[in-house]
Amino acid sequence: MDSAEDNFKKVVCDNSNGSTKKRKHLEFLKILKLHVWPSLSRARYVSLLKDFVESEFFVIDGDSLILMLLHEEVQYLTLFYRIECFLQDFTQRGAKYIVVFFKDAEQMYFSYPHFLFLRTALIEHLKHNTRTTVHTEFSNCLSPAWEIFLKKSYPYFIIVSDIGLTSLQTNYLTIFIAHSLSKKITIVLASGQECDTLRVYGYHLQSMGKHRLFFQKYEKDLRCVCEAIVRYKAPSLCLYGHLKLSLRSVQEEVCRTIPLLKQLWPEGSDIRRVVCVLACAVGLKIYSDMLTNAHASRGTKTEKSEKGRSKPLSPEAAADLCRMQCLTVVFLLHMPLSQRAQIRVMKSCWTKEVLPIMKMQQLCAHFVLKELSDKNDWKLDLTYLPDLNDESLLKNLAHYYQIEYTEGLEFQKELGKEMEDEYLSLWDAVTKLTVKYGFGDAFPIRATSQVFLDQEQTSSRVYEDKIPAVGLFPVKSDLVKEYAGDILKDLHVLDDNDPAVSSLTKYKEFDELRHWHSGRPLTEEYERVHCNADAKSKDPYERKQIQKLQTFYRFYGSTLQEGTSKFVVCQKNAPGSANNPVKKKKMQKSKAEIIAEENNKRLKIKEEMKEQEQWKTLQISTEKEIKANLTVGINKLEKFLKNLKSKSVKFSVELSGLSACLEVWKEHCKKQDTKSKDLSKAVQLMRRIHILLEKYQDLLEKSHLQKLTQCLQLLGFKNLACSLSGQVREKSDGENTSRYAIEVGPVRFQLQYMDYYLLREERNDPDPRVENFIPDTWQRELLDAVDNNESAVIVAPTSSGKTYASYYCMEKVLKTSNDGVVVYVAPTKALVNQVVGTIYSRFTKTLPDGLVVCGVFTRDYCNDVMNSQILVTVPQCLEILMLSPRCQKWVKRIQYVIFDEVHCLGSEIGAEVWEHLLVTIRCPFLALSATISNPEHLTEWLQSVKRYWQRAEKTIEENSTDSEKNSTRKLKVKSKVKEQKKPYRVRLVLYGERYNDLEKYVCSSTGGDFLFEHYHPCAALTVNHIENYGIPADLSLSPKESVQLYDTMVEVWKEWPRAQELDPEEFVSFKNKVVIKKMDVRKYEQELKKELSKWIELGQRQKVCELLDHFKPQPVDCSDQEKWIQFAYFVEKLHEMDKLPAIIFIFGLDSVERAATNVFIHLMEKQKNEQDPKAKREIEDIKDKLRKVDKSLMKCNPNDTKKLKTSKAESIIQLWTMKKELEKRLKKLSVIPSACSYADPKAVDEDTLRKIFYRLRFERKGYLQQMLARRGIGYHHGSMSIKQRQAVEMLFRLGYIKVVTATSTLALGINMPCKSVVFADDSVFLDALSYRQMSGRAGRRGHDMIGNVFFYDIPLPKIERLIKSNVPQLKGQFPLTITLILRLMLLAAKADDKADASAKALSVLKHSLMTFKNERHAEILKIYFMFSLQFLIKEGYLDQDGNPRGFAGLVTHLHYHEPSNFVLVSFLVKGLFHKLCQPIKGSNDFSDDVLEKLVLILANLFGQKYLPACSMTLRHKFYQSKVFLEDLPEDFADAVNEYNTKVEENFAHFLLTTAKLADMEQEYRLPLSKTERPRTLIHYLNKKEIKSCKSQNDGVPNQEESISTWTALHFQETNSFIYLHITSANFIQDVNHGN
């Protein structure tokens, strides 16, 4: 490595003609590393493929791929296997990738011919034997061709290594990383990647503005250094000091020799034969010529000069080596893989004399492969490119001849006829190609006595320890038998008297009665969480705290919904319950009910008359306002309509509005005359027509219809007028109507201009179960499901009203009894608080003392967990309750569980917990989400779980004994929870229509101004995407966008056959339709999309491409710095465009706060500039006067005015009066001008504002937050306190704050609807799922007709991905850990109701979403379960009956920290903490050294964070903290090593036992190329020859009894979660080494 770096320094020096340039380049490399290092160290460890997997490709740097999997002693076949496994992991997950090998990178391998040959073979193998796309045409990462490729294709990311084989290569890779980041392309580090059954994880480095700025600043230096690196070529390779090998001569000789071999073998051959013969022939010729030339030029030199040099091999010895290489190839051709796996593992090394020859042969092989790749006229079988060489086999043969057989002639008899012929054929070809040199015959194979292997090191690895008896520990557990019995029957189980079984560590039985860390009696797990207050508490202070908390929650909830809290009364026979369904028969009304109805009628009439009077008062002024300013007047009219209840009054108002709009339109047309007309005025007229026809059809009379017909005729829509009147022609009123007519067809006018004003499909029949609105059909289906106690999966867009069903469910349970429980599961604490606030504002109920309506349980705090009827919690906390043996009585009280944001099942972290809950609950559930792409699959899985519970509950009931029945009967008498009918159906309720359309805009800063360009959704599509995946289901168009698509289609294809048919005016769903609704437009949109796909089928790809390009906006790039400087002006622009309120999403805590502060400062400066200087001086004067008054008051000491003299008391009163007047004047002058604030002072009264701000008084940055809020600005992120976040949420919902900058914390279910959503920052976490969650906030139902989405300087390719990518399918997560299995065994052993607990444990094991309809994954899970059991029994956490033992309680308590929890126990068992924690003599205190060591140990266990490999090479000094963990104390490190060894031994033993379960079809096949190896020994290979190559260890079983090398590798890869768990136990050791 150092020599390569020195060579580079020399080259830089030579090429720069001076040391100045050399120093400059080396200094720049340091700057480059310091630039890249901070970014690399902050790389995020995330799932790589996410949701772009189906449509986007990424790039893998081929050299980085080799470096990632390479080490010095790697075997060729093993490396190819690893590389194929790596690529196959991506392929089988649907990823699309290309592999790039840069031409210039080849220069860096000439010092390592072994790796150079391997690289060339890999390129050819990937090209010819796999479907992988390989690019080798690019010279280097800064070449123009590569830059053009990046610009055109814009890959999702590039996988690059950050450390090279040499320093030279490391520098090159660093330049590659810097260049890619500057082109806005994300980097994924090659090191540190892992995969599980479903996902691939790696370190993800996001491109940022600073990377582009760096490249712009240092582009010239980068290119100079890169040129210096790639220009470096090693013209020759030093073999023996005085012998130098010219690379050009090797290449030329290869070119001369290949045609000769083609003449010998014109029919072609296997690539292994060809490479072997050519490498041997070329190598021998060149070597002989070198020796001859060296001897001639050297002449007679003294022996002194030869000292210290290794003597070159003679040509005869080199020929011996080549004969053995030919023999090795013969073995490769005929020896099966199972036998090669059993040959001796040689520790011997080649001698110094042999190594140069080996390097020369590898260089020859490299050039041979390069030359052959360019020739297509010779038939070669390239199948076995991965198996060109086997150095282990060659060493075995060398050892055989050097040590075991002194005469090679004997081996000829043992070789076998066919193998002998093969060998003779190879050597014959070599001799014919080197005919003039005379290298001898094929036999004897060794003609010289030259030593090839170092005799001091020549030995093979001997396995002294015999493999222990293969088998599993017997487990006597019904749970194990029922779950994994089908696998156990095929595996060997050890006898009870086997030494391995009898030697098991036996701890005392685990019984969790006291805390593991103290002697206190054990309370429930949930009580370990901090409890703020509890209703059961008798402490007056705590009860007061509860009252304060509840008061606040009611206030907080009032901002979430309008209306007062509903008082719920517990009803013995609640209507609508499953046991007491609502009767359809009409009941006879009582006298009281009749009187009540009559009273209601009278009240309605009275209210209607009152509303009529109100309208009469306002009618004239409203009509005048409409005529004066149409927009303001219509807004006023609609605001008045919202408050009306009487339908007849509303009808009158609408008619007046129609007349006023008609007058406005007429007046406008008269003024404009021939000029273009403002069609927005006609839109308002047409809107009134739509509303009257659709909503008041039953009130329309003939005169009204005539008026509407006249309006339509006036607008020029005669066909619609005829359609409405039912006549062919209406009489004209004599007035010339042509001047008022619109020059656009009626359909196009409605689609293009009315656009988002088009009416939605809404029901008019009220539902008695819903008070405040009329539910849609899908919402009624939800309510039916709750009424019938059914489960349901609900998938509907954000803000569509899906959560109403959950509150209806809560109300039902509250009415049914005082003991029934509803659990609401929310993914985040913020959402938990929101739901709690909503519950307090919705429901009030009188409950017995100690019980409350709502309780909370999160990992930070809890209150009223067990004594509430509605528990709001997060998944992890509910899992604690579900799996706790002591909480099962409470679990049986649960009547319903509501899972909000259930798509979290697909998240990377915590998904398995959602699964555990869904499969363990026995009651019905509601699962809500806005973003699930495969809801049918999810519902089917959940239905299978419910069927399991139906069978399980039936079995539990049948197996219960009479005594158990009696005890149950007694319990039933005491219980107040009603036994409800349990339907096991799971409904799927789908609703895909957003109430508001979303309009998207791309915006960027250009020279101080802003460019806003409408982004048509079709701009995101490509021809390939439509062809391969179709148009995404949720890529919807607004009516206007549908018309734009049609117009562009007509423009692009003039002869389009269906142009007339799909013309909006002629489309069948629109023809002569007065009121076109959104659903009609959806049909039209779908038809256009189908036609677009059909164009591709008809071969019009070019036209589709032209069409899509037409919609694509022009990319405008601005620097990151300029973007944030202009950010405040961008917000001001949104304000001017009336696009506020807005949520601006930024991915970074600092950026979020900084952006909000910048907007605030901008408004302050604006006020300062606009403020009158006189007013400024007046404010300062008043402040001075106030200071003086305050001083005077302090001197007077006016505490007791009664004791003061009259004159002094009067002066004090005067001072107080003056102070109040001055403060009043100051307040008036300090009022923030409306132009310098985004806040709406009318939205919130001062008292409410004060109440909200009061909660911020002790918060960090609380004052700043108040100042921002006064200007209508807020920020929101996860690091803020709950009070700060709630203040922002409340003020935003109330309409006071109009601008909020936020991280993704606002994406998940938080109720903060707005008019616009802005994406102002790109991030790895901005994917299709989060995009839909965030953009779903835009468009407030009832406030906005349309939602706006702005992309502020987001790269166009990223926008395309976000819009066209489907939401990822829910595939689940690997559901088990060793600790979870221990928790399940503990539950089954310790629960009071054993049958119920076992059923729950079985449900978790059997019903993983990952294994649903996937037998292979189900089998893998069972194998993992069996391994976990064996591990737990061996380590003493379980006995052979499945009962918990020893430290089981401690391990399960720390289940979040696996495998650290097991390592901690190993420390405790050894007494290491006891030895360490010795107090200072004569004191109870510990020394600083002890405390530091303790922190170090715990940091290694529970606080480690992995850093990229380069972190150690570019290590910074930190003076106030320890960033890089030091080594563990020696005794702890030894304990870790011992633990790791035990785990590895356990795994190896288990692997041997389960080897027979491996898929042998796959064992002899490479995973990606499917290259297959022969399985059995060829008949002509004699037994004696096999024996000579076998291991001398008799303890190693043969192939039938053991697992092969490939089996072990395959098993580790396909079951990587097992292997990863085992290897993850090594993390402490890795951290100690700085990895």
Side-chain angles (χ1 to χ4, degrees), residues 403 814 1120 1384:
I403 306 296
L814 289 173
D1120 206 51
L1384 293 176

Side-chain angles (χ1 to χ4, degrees), residues 1021-1030 1096 1100-1106 1108:
L1021 299 173
T1022 60
V1023 176
N1024 287 336
H1025 186 93
I1026 298 171
E1027 197 170 24
N1028 296 327
Y1029 312 106
I1096 298 172
Q1100 300 294 333
R1101 288 174 60 89
Q1102 188 57 41
K1103 290 197 181 333
V1104 177
C1105 202
E1106 189 182 335
L1108 299 176

Side-chain angles (χ1 to χ4, degrees), residues 239-397:
L239 293 183
Y240 292 100
H242 62 287
L243 288 180
K244 289 190 177 179
L245 176 67
S246 168
L247 300 182
R248 181 168 291 179
S249 66
V250 175
Q251 193 169 5
E252 289 169 354
E253 187 60 47
V254 167
C255 293
R256 285 195 293 269
T257 311
I258 287 176
L260 299 176
L261 185 61
K262 281 172 68 177
Q263 291 173 9
L264 291 175
W265 292 347
E267 71 285 354
S269 184
D270 185 288
I271 188 67
R272 290 170 292 185
R273 293 184 178 93
V274 172
V275 170
C276 174
V277 168
L278 286 171
C280 289
V282 171
L284 287 171
K285 283 197 284 186
I286 288 177
Y287 186 64
S288 296
D289 291 343
M290 282 175 64
L291 286 176
T292 305
N293 294 337
H295 183 72
S297 63
R298 190 170 44 179
T300 55
K301 286 191 178 180
T302 57
E303 288 183 8
K304 192 175 181 181
S305 63
E306 297 293 331
K307 282 185 180 180
R309 288 180 183 174
S310 56
K311 190 178 179 182
L313 284 182
S314 65
E316 293 77 17
D320 282 357
L321 190 61
C322 288
R323 287 191 193 94
M324 286 194 292
Q325 286 178 334
C326 290
L327 189 58
T328 302
V329 171
V330 173
F331 274 87
L332 292 181
L333 291 165
H334 297 288
M335 190 176 185
L337 197 62
S338 58
Q339 296 299 323
R340 281 168 63 187
Q342 295 181 54
I343 63 173
R344 291 171 298 202
V345 180
M346 302 296 295
K347 293 194 292 183
S348 310
C349 297
W350 299 110
T351 59
K352 289 180 181 178
E353 291 80 11
V354 173
L355 278 173
I357 302 297
M358 299 295 287
K359 284 186 177 181
M360 184 180 69
Q361 294 265 7
Q362 287 153 359
L363 275 172
C364 293
H366 155 71
F367 285 115
V368 165
L369 284 175
K370 282 206 74 173
E371 288 300 318
L372 290 174
S373 68
D374 298 331
K375 300 182 186 303
N376 298 318
D377 56 341
W378 194 17
K379 190 179 178 183
L380 295 177
D381 181 2
L382 301 175
T383 306
Y384 292 102
L385 274 166
D387 201 16
L388 290 172
N389 195 2
D390 187 340
E391 192 171 7
S392 179
L393 189 56
L394 181 60
K395 281 184 179 179
N396 269 278
L397 288 169

Side-chain angles (χ1 to χ4, degrees), residues 257 260-261 263-265 277 281 285 424-440:
T257 311
L260 299 176
L261 185 61
Q263 291 173 9
L264 291 175
W265 292 347
V277 168
K285 283 197 284 186
L424 288 170
S425 169
L426 293 178
W427 187 250
D428 180 56
V430 172
T431 51
K432 284 178 180 175
L433 294 174
T434 58
V435 65
K436 69 175 184 178
Y437 294 88
F439 288 113

Side-chain angles (χ1 to χ4, degrees), residues 44-75:
R44 300 289 190 102
Y45 190 70
V46 293
S47 173
L48 298 182
L49 302 181
K50 286 192 174 282
D51 38 26
F52 303 139
V53 60
E54 66 166 20
S55 57
E56 296 299 323
F57 84 100
F58 57 90
V59 173
I60 302 173
D61 175 47
D63 294 292
S64 299
L65 180 63
I66 295 171
L67 292 167
M68 176 172 51
L69 302 167
L70 193 63
H71 58 80
E72 289 291 335
E73 297 179 1
V74 72
Q75 291 290 321

Side-chain angles (χ1 to χ4, degrees), residues 46-56 58 84-97 156-157 193-202 1029 1368-1369 1371-1374 1410 1414 1417 1420 1567-1568 1612-1617 1620:
V46 293
S47 173
L48 298 182
L49 302 181
K50 286 192 174 282
D51 38 26
F52 303 139
V53 60
E54 66 166 20
S55 57
E56 296 299 323
F58 57 90
E84 287 207 16
C85 283
F86 178 81
L87 296 177
Q88 179 66 7
D89 281 335
F90 284 113
T91 304
Q92 69 187 6
R93 288 163 177 81
K96 288 165 184 59
Y97 55 86
Y156 181 27
F157 57 77
Q193 288 188 37
E194 290 181 0
C195 67
D196 59 22
T197 315
L198 301 171
R199 292 176 180 81
V200 180
Y201 301 90
Y1029 312 106
Q1369 293 194 342
K1371 298 175 184 175
Q1373 185 66 284
F1374 190 76
M1410 183 189 85
N1414 191 321
H1417 284 170
I1420 287 170
L1568 185 67
Q1612 288 169 8
E1613 292 297 328
T1614 55
N1615 303 283
S1616 56
F1617 42 82
L1620 287 175

